[in-house]
Amino acid sequence: MNSNSLVSIDDISRDDILDLLERARFFEEHPDHKILDGKVVATLFFEPSTRTRLSFETAVNRLGGRVIGFSDASTTSSSKGETLKDTIKMVSNYVDLIIMRHYLEGAARYATEVTDTPVINAGDGANQHPSQTMLDLYSIFKTQGKLDNLTITMVGDLKYGRTVHSLLMAMRYFNPTFHFVACEELRMPKEYKEFCDKNGIRYHEHTEFTPEVINNSDILYMTRVQRERFTDIMEYERVKNLYTLRADMLAGSRPNLRVLHPLPRVNEIAYDVDDSPKAYYFEQARNGLYARQAIICRALGIDIFKEANL
């Protein structure tokens, strides 16, 4: 495994996280640098994506690199039966970095085992999404001025939501308090609650999305119930609209509260929330460009501060 790969947020330390946030802030102030001149990056998306793929590709383009890859696996040799191992080894012949999204948990970790080319996990099933976590952390830091001692409420699909899993793991360094709001079918998996217990993270579970929970939160992290993760469509129909945030529900919330969402949304955030100053999900998506520029440079061993003579 290339040591610069990023498969899980658990692969990097507290200092690594804070360093990436500093570099993301630099890229927000100076987004265009040609430090990837001559570098080729592969974006291999075996699962649909809009924001993640486009922000990664924009990040490479703004840094002066070139992108190859695919956004539809049905157009590749995997549709002919080519194994993931063979695809990764073949692509590694052509590129300096692989950015991969796959529907199978553990696929990104496996990719690192069959190539020396650095790999960035852009989401593997319901498992991890570390680049989303970095932009989430950057968004939290920008809106709260800190990462420590915050109360974060996660709402909706906590079973299959890889973004909440990764964020929970990253926040272990910053003394958070979590509130998990979900129905029984979509509650936070046992292994992540055990992770909280092991790391001394406070958490509370709820099935009701109450004013008390909202009003005691610094961050309200809404999630989409992911139809593509369900094998039973009737179960999806039963749970898809249980939790919807409306603007009037924010009336008694803290002034510093911000609403985050990894997007796309369906019905879990009403459109009237968009006009609230506490809505931050579109700005959150924009932050993905800067966070991913920082992650790409790390994966390629490029120190932007040295390159910029800072």
Side-chain angles (χ1 to χ4, degrees):
M1 174 179 174
N2 188 300
S3 61
N4 289 335
S5 290
L6 180 59
V7 173
S8 167
I9 200 67
D10 208 29
D11 293 339
I12 57 177
S13 68
R14 183 181 191 275
D15 287 343
D16 290 331
I17 288 172
L18 295 177
D19 182 68
L20 282 169
L21 295 182
E22 279 297 311
R23 292 167 194 271
R25 181 162 60 182
F26 172 85
F27 282 120
E28 181 168 10
E29 296 169 354
H30 312 90
D32 297 307
H33 285 272
K34 302 307 178 185
I35 55 176
L36 296 191
D37 185 38
K39 301 290 186 182
V40 180
V41 177
T43 53
L44 310 183
F45 280 73
F46 294 86
E47 191 177 53
S49 171
T50 301
R51 277 149 296 277
T52 302
R53 181 175 61 84
L54 291 180
S55 64
F56 264 122
E57 292 182 356
T58 302
V60 174
N61 287 327
R62 286 194 176 275
L63 294 174
R66 295 188 178 186
V67 178
I68 66 170
F70 55 83
S71 58
D72 183 356
S74 67
T75 64
T76 73
S77 290
S78 63
S79 66
K80 302 176 184 176
E82 183 175 65
T83 65
L84 178 60
K85 176 182 179 180
D86 286 1
T87 299
I88 295 301
K89 291 184 77 67
M90 181 274 296
V91 171
S92 297
N93 292 325
Y94 310 140
V95 302
D96 302 286
L97 171 65
I98 294 172
I99 299 167
M100 186 176 82
R101 169 170 286 190
H102 203 281
Y103 50 85
L104 291 179
E105 295 183 21
R109 182 72 66 190
Y110 176 72
T112 66
E113 295 171 357
V114 299
T115 181
D116 292 327
T117 301
V119 175
I120 296 174
N121 180 9
D124 60 332
N127 185 31
Q128 288 275 327
H129 198 347
S131 71
Q132 176 73 42
T133 301
M134 288 309 308
L135 75 91
D136 290 344
L137 292 172
Y138 187 49
S139 298
I140 292 170
F141 184 78
K142 283 181 64 178
T143 60
Q144 306 299 313
K146 62 177 184 177
L147 292 176
D148 297 286
N149 306 314
L150 296 173
T151 298
I152 300 175
T153 297
M154 297 174 165
V155 183
D157 185 355
L158 308 188
K159 179 179 180 180
Y160 300 113
R162 57 194 172 199
T163 63
V164 295
H165 300 161
S166 292
L167 181 58
L168 183 155
M169 296 180 73
M171 287 299 298
R172 72 187 184 275
Y173 299 117
F174 304 106
N175 192 37
T177 298
F178 284 109
H179 290 272
F180 302 143
V181 180
C183 61
E184 287 298 320
E185 294 91 337
L186 296 175
R187 65 190 303 182
M188 184 66 73
K190 178 181 177 182
E191 59 265 32
Y192 292 102
K193 291 185 285 186
E194 290 176 346
F195 179 90
C196 288
D197 294 335
K198 179 181 177 181
N199 288 276
I201 299 173
R202 296 176 297 278
Y203 67 91
H204 310 275
E205 293 189 275
H206 313 267
T207 56
E208 299 294 325
F209 193 22
T210 65
E212 180 181 9
V213 170
I214 295 171
N215 296 344
N216 286 308
S217 301
D218 299 303
I219 294 292
L220 192 55
Y221 198 104
M222 303 296 297
T223 66
R224 172 179 65 94
V225 177
Q226 302 175 72
R227 181 175 181 174
E228 62 270 27
R229 307 290 178 212
F230 285 79
T231 55
D232 184 347
I233 192 62
M234 295 303 295
E235 182 181 4
Y236 168 76
E237 291 294 331
R238 186 169 60 253
V239 302
K240 68 177 183 178
N241 293 325
L242 288 180
Y243 304 106
T244 299
L245 179 67
R246 303 181 309 275
D248 63 282
M249 296 167 67
L250 299 173
S253 63
R254 295 175 176 175
N256 64 299
L257 174 77
R258 292 297 180 270
V259 180
L260 302 185
H261 192 304
L263 301 177
R265 65 172 163 184
V266 184
N267 299 316
E268 61 278 359
I269 298 179
Y271 289 111
D272 64 357
V273 178
D274 296 354
D275 296 325
S276 169
K278 298 179 180 181
Y280 195 75
Y281 29 90
F282 293 120
E283 293 88 344
Q284 177 188 1
R286 183 176 63 223
N287 290 336
L289 170 61
Y290 317 125
R292 287 173 174 129
Q293 285 180 302
I295 291 168
I296 288 167
C297 287
R298 176 186 180 275
L300 290 170
I302 296 170
D303 187 337
I304 183 59
F305 294 138
K306 288 183 179 178
E307 295 288 337
N309 298 314
L310 296 178

